[in-house]
Amino acid sequence: MEYPYDELLQLSGIQHFAFCRRQWALIHIEKLWADNYQTADGALMHDKRTIRSSMRAGAIFASCAGSA
């Protein structure tokens, strides 16, 4: 059975629903979610960790590739 694209659930929506049903409704139904200083700060911290993690993974890959 196939479903129309607009009826499919986004993984982020499932995560929001599991975390907080009100947040899920604000974001996915009412379209009223807006970042505040706390969510913006959290996003920046998350991005910095992702960049640092990627840099470490690249350094590990480079050192492994060089020893082959």
Side-chain angles (χ1 to χ4, degrees):
M1 174 179 228
E2 289 190 36
Y3 293 94
Y5 181 78
D6 61 342
E7 290 185 17
L8 298 176
L9 298 174
Q10 297 177 351
L11 289 177
S12 62
I14 296 169
Q15 186 274 331
H16 287 136
F17 186 83
F19 177 73
C20 174
R21 290 181 183 194
R22 181 66 185 139
Q23 181 190 43
W24 171 79
L26 285 169
I27 295 169
H28 298 280
I29 295 176
E30 298 175 26
K31 309 288 189 215
L32 294 176
W33 182 262
D35 283 328
N36 61 22
Y37 76 93
Q38 291 172 320
T39 56
D41 189 45
L44 287 172
M45 288 191 308
H46 177 77
D47 289 345
K48 288 178 185 177
R49 286 189 188 119
T50 301
I51 291 168
R52 275 188 261 142
S53 193
S54 296
M55 291 171 66
R56 274 196 302 269
I60 292 169
F61 177 75
S63 67
C64 291
S67 65

